[in-house]
Amino acid sequence: MHARTIDSLALDSYQRAARVVLANHLITRSYPDRIALPLIRRWATELREDLAELFGYRLEVTETTARLFPVLDKLDAGRPARTAADRLFDRRRYAYLALALAALGRAGDQITLSELADQVAAYTERVDGLDLAADRAGDRDAFVDAVGWLAARGAVSLADGDAGGWASDPEAGEALYDIDRSVVFALFRPPRALQHLQSVTGLLGEEAGGGDTRSPAMALASRAVRRALVEQPVVYADDLHEPHRSLLAQEKLVREVEQVTGLKAERRAEGVALIDSSGRLSDVRFPGTGTLAQVALLLAGEIADLVLDLDNPVARIPRPERPLADLAEQLDTAIPTTTVFAPLADAVDIFATEEDSDFDEREEPEIPVYPFIDAEWIRETVRMLAARYGATFAAQWQADVPGLTAEAVGLLERLQLIERVDTGESGTPAPPHDLGSGLLILPALARYRGAIVTIRTRAETELFISPSDMGGADTSPADAEPDPAVDHTELVAIEKGSGN
């Protein structure tokens, strides 16, 4: 592993490069910023070999792009694409994005937004249940969101005009884009030909072998555990089968990930989490600023206090199974069978390496149980927090406490601190934005107990900046009073002892 041999003065630069490529997978001259690509190119050789050896990832670096091809061990619905306004992509936007990529791959150096829309609209005619009508505002907005996603990553760049103008009125507005063919080519590179797959699970898993000198089965298991450490907020031992659970307990394996990423592992009996104080690997920073993150931290603290109250123990239940097949079956139903090339179709069994490995004889672990908190208690607690601190909340959340509750719970679930469940007959996970019957409390949430809360009154100098401070003449009255409509307070909640 090259990270062990890099000079200590240069190691920080190498680790920053590793965090950037692990967090973004695609790096261009403008995405995620203009300094990322030169940094990756500097360490291309070392990164390519270390990422392949430790994680089974493939890294391709050119003059204009760096593309990481990760290995997926499971389907994950928790990392959706988002619009520029941070709205989640829906099925229509995903479809437009895929079809726009196909159209750009056949285009020249430039294309207008209306031309691209016409080509995508023509493609939609071949897809049952999908169309793109330029006279429908909803279709135009969804299409512009897909193009904006491509523009943010440098696949297209605005040369003239305004996409928003076209979205408002396609007869009056227009936009011209330059196409970066290298980025378009790098964006969509599936590990296997899609026409040869009968199931989405064929995109999961990796081939045995690699540079590991141990047995293929052990090498595969080791890389899977390292991948989990950099891809998941927390890796719980109870979620793993042997040999993965034993490997997670090995200090050497965790230290290898620390050496490459520069992050520090926090070990507990229940599992391991990499703590990213740099903010360059995590897609969600927590604890964080803003009403949503602050309320989520306060809610976590309230939950921890309840669970740790030995005088009033809460109920404990086993975690419901969340089989991969459910999500896989949903996705597989969308595969148009007419496009599958049957002679070469390959339904990959992603569990074959585990079942056929040297670890067939293993004891069934005891089924763990977790604290269960009723959904109504969660709603009441957020209402209490809103009553106590609501004056400091952003206006949108002051008027929508139920929405704030759902979003705060969603954030904690995304961080793998809780899990929403429905304890009815099915025992299935609750759907998005629904608290279900309640929450299972996972061990890592205890890290955020005892949050410290203060209400800070912002100084007038923070609220009002005179034109002279911005290089202009100060024309404000000398005795100007703060606007009473402006909220002069803010909620400051920090993790106890974090210093953040």
Side-chain angles (χ1 to χ4, degrees):
M1 187 175 69
H2 287 280
R4 288 193 294 261
T5 61
I6 294 174
D7 183 85
S8 59
L9 296 177
L11 183 59
D12 179 67
S13 173
Y14 167 83
Q15 291 170 337
R16 281 190 288 116
R19 292 195 296 269
V20 169
V21 76
L22 286 169
N24 296 284
H25 294 187
L26 174 69
I27 294 93
T28 67
R29 285 172 289 194
S30 60
Y31 182 83
D33 52 49
R34 295 190 177 278
I35 65 174
L37 185 60
L39 180 64
I40 303 302
R41 285 175 54 80
R42 175 187 175 186
W43 295 105
T45 300
E46 293 85 354
L47 286 172
R48 188 180 297 112
E49 296 182 13
D50 282 353
L51 293 173
E53 176 185 345
L54 296 180
F55 305 102
Y57 294 166
R58 178 165 57 90
L59 176 65
E60 291 184 1
V61 180
T62 69
E63 291 185 2
T64 57
T65 63
R67 182 70 164 94
L68 183 70
F69 296 89
V71 174
L72 300 180
D73 295 298
K74 63 179 181 178
L75 297 177
D76 184 359
R79 301 178 185 178
R82 295 174 180 270
T83 69
D86 205 36
R87 294 191 302 270
L88 299 183
F89 266 44
D90 54 16
R91 296 177 66 181
R92 178 168 51 171
R93 285 169 171 78
Y94 279 121
Y96 290 165
L97 175 60
L99 296 176
L101 266 176
L104 292 172
R106 294 172 171 84
D109 295 329
Q110 287 187 321
I111 193 169
T112 65
L113 190 59
S114 59
E115 290 173 340
L116 183 57
D118 288 342
Q119 292 187 34
V120 170
Y123 290 156
T124 62
E125 295 177 359
R126 309 177 196 175
V127 183
D128 293 338
L130 179 68
D131 60 358
L132 170 56
D135 60 348
R136 286 202 297 260
D139 285 9
R140 296 196 303 271
D141 288 342
F143 178 68
V144 168
D145 283 340
V147 174
W149 189 94
L150 293 169
R153 284 150 183 80
V156 294
S157 56
L158 188 65
D160 193 17
D162 175 25
W166 180 87
S168 299
D169 184 357
E171 297 296 330
E174 185 59 283
L176 176 66
Y177 287 95
D178 293 325
I179 302 172
D180 190 326
R181 303 191 64 79
S182 63
V183 178
V184 172
F185 180 71
L187 262 173
F188 184 66
R189 298 276 300 283
R192 297 176 178 88
L194 300 185
Q195 292 85 349
H196 300 171
L197 298 178
Q198 293 178 321
S199 171
V200 68
T201 55
L203 295 173
L204 305 183
E206 67 166 319
E207 300 297 330
D212 204 305
T213 58
R214 296 170 293 180
S215 71
M218 180 62 80
L220 287 170
S222 297
R223 289 197 289 270
V225 173
R226 296 190 197 98
R227 289 194 292 266
L229 286 169
V230 297
E231 293 170 359
Q232 300 178 26
V234 186
V235 182
Y236 291 109
D238 286 338
D239 291 344
L240 305 178
H241 297 294
E242 292 293 348
H244 300 78
R245 184 179 296 141
S246 296
L247 289 167
L248 181 66
Q250 290 184 7
E251 184 176 346
K252 177 179 181 295
L253 184 143
V254 177
R255 191 166 59 245
E256 289 172 338
V257 179
E258 288 180 315
Q259 186 75 15
V260 169
T261 62
L263 307 184
K264 296 299 181 184
E266 183 172 295
R267 289 176 166 277
R268 307 241 173 158
E270 299 86 357
V272 180
L274 289 182
I275 306 304
D276 179 22
S277 58
S278 71
R280 295 304 299 269
L281 182 58
S282 304
D283 57 343
V284 178
R285 196 176 184 95
F286 189 78
T289 58
T291 299
L292 181 58
Q294 295 280 280
V295 170
L297 177 59
L298 293 176
L299 178 59
E302 295 290 336
I303 293 172
D305 288 344
L306 178 67
V307 171
L308 296 174
D309 185 356
L310 300 180
D311 295 329
N312 300 285
V314 300
R316 291 177 176 266
I317 64 173
R319 204 171 176 183
E321 292 187 7
R322 309 187 75 170
L324 175 69
D326 284 353
L327 182 55
E329 288 171 2
Q330 293 178 42
L331 294 173
D332 288 348
T333 58
I335 298 176
T337 55
T338 56
T339 66
V340 176
F341 188 57
L344 293 178
D346 179 23
V348 178
D349 182 1
I350 63 168
F351 302 106
T353 54
E354 182 176 319
E355 296 299 328
D356 298 338
S357 69
D358 300 330
F359 307 99
D360 290 331
E361 297 182 5
R362 52 178 179 263
E363 295 182 4
E364 284 296 325
E366 181 180 349
I367 298 177
V369 292
Y370 298 91
F372 174 77
I373 306 298
D374 183 81
E376 187 53 40
W377 185 92
I378 299 295
R379 296 187 185 95
E380 182 60 36
T381 299
V382 177
R383 285 195 290 266
M384 177 271 292
L385 294 173
R388 184 178 300 173
Y389 305 114
T392 67
F393 290 0
Q396 71 176 104
W397 299 126
Q398 291 183 22
D400 186 13
V401 175
L404 175 61
T405 304
E407 292 295 334
V409 167
L411 175 57
L412 294 178
E413 185 171 41
R414 189 176 176 186
L415 294 165
Q416 293 181 248
L417 303 178
I418 57 96
E419 187 173 293
R420 291 171 299 148
V421 295
D422 186 346
T423 57
E425 293 182 2
S426 64
T428 56
H433 307 297
D434 182 353
L435 299 188
S437 299
L439 308 180
L440 283 188
I441 312 306
L442 304 182
L445 183 133
R447 187 177 194 272
Y448 301 100
R449 64 185 181 273
I452 300 172
V453 181
T454 61
I455 303 297
R456 188 181 78 161
T457 301
R458 286 170 284 180
E460 184 176 338
T461 54
E462 294 181 77
L463 295 168
F464 303 96
I465 302 177
S466 70
S468 61
D469 293 330
M470 298 183 288
D474 186 357
T475 58
S476 59
D479 58 349
E481 292 293 330
D483 185 345
V486 177
D487 179 17
H488 297 167
T489 62
E490 65 175 327
L491 174 65
V492 182
I494 63 172
E495 176 190 352
K496 185 175 181 181
S498 68
N500 293 332

